Amino acid sequence: MEKMTLIDRFANPDIIKTMSLGDKMLASLYVTLLGMAITFIALSILWGMIALMSRILGTKSTKIEKQALVVAAVTEPETTIEKKEGEIDEAIVAVIAAAVASSMNTSVHNIIVRNIRRTQNALPAWGNAGRFEQMKTRVQ
């Protein structure tokens, strides 16, 4: 009788019928652990490649943007908004500047507001109603 290796033992589907319950449970445990290990290794490789690409591609653009903000804040004086026919309250300007600063992760002092214009609302009435309902549910 030839000595069967592990691969020969599990490669033949007829052998599975002769296996005991304990052997079947052990084989299923091997398959489960092997599948989890392969998945973990593949996800780790993907994570490493994404982290490497973000370091290579992401750092240059953020440094340039931060330098441009600092240069713009230092070189250009702040402008005042003059009230005209469609006058805008200073509180609204402050809120808009704070929202822009928050989205850019910078200070309000680095932002210069030169002009504020209302844009055309291209949404239909049902779109505005849906947006209003969404905002109303978040507040409550």
Side-chain angles (χ1 to χ4, degrees):
M1 181 174 192
E2 291 181 33
K3 186 174 182 181
M4 296 180 82
T5 63
L6 187 63
I7 295 174
D8 292 333
R9 184 174 179 195
F10 293 113
N12 187 357
D14 295 330
I15 298 293
I16 294 176
K17 295 176 185 174
T18 62
M19 292 173 66
S20 68
L21 180 62
D23 288 340
K24 289 179 183 178
M25 294 293 281
L26 188 62
S28 64
L29 183 65
Y30 287 151
V31 170
T32 302
L33 291 176
L34 181 66
M36 289 173 61
I38 289 172
T39 303
F40 180 75
I41 290 169
L43 289 175
S44 298
I45 290 171
L46 283 173
W47 172 76
M49 302 218 16
I50 290 171
L52 179 69
M53 287 175 25
S54 68
R55 284 187 182 165
I56 291 172
L57 300 175
T59 56
K60 293 179 182 177
S61 63
T62 56
K63 285 181 182 177
I64 292 171
E65 289 174 6
K66 287 180 181 178
Q67 289 175 355
L69 283 175
V70 171
V71 169
V74 171
T75 58
E76 298 176 7
E78 291 187 27
T79 59
T80 58
I81 297 178
E82 299 175 9
K83 293 186 177 183
K84 296 180 182 176
E85 290 179 7
E87 65 185 45
I88 298 174
D89 190 19
E90 290 182 15
I92 294 175
V93 174
V95 169
I96 291 172
V100 171
S102 175
S103 69
M104 295 175 66
N105 293 329
T106 186
S107 173
V108 178
H109 301 292
N110 294 337
I111 297 190
I112 300 169
V113 178
R114 292 194 178 141
N115 191 6
I116 297 176
R117 282 184 275 158
R118 186 176 297 262
T119 59
Q120 294 291 331
N121 191 0
L123 284 178
W126 60 267
N128 286 332
R131 181 178 291 156
F132 178 73
E133 288 294 321
Q134 286 289 327
M135 296 303 288
K136 189 171 138 184
T137 57
R138 290 183 184 175
V139 173
Q140 295 174 350

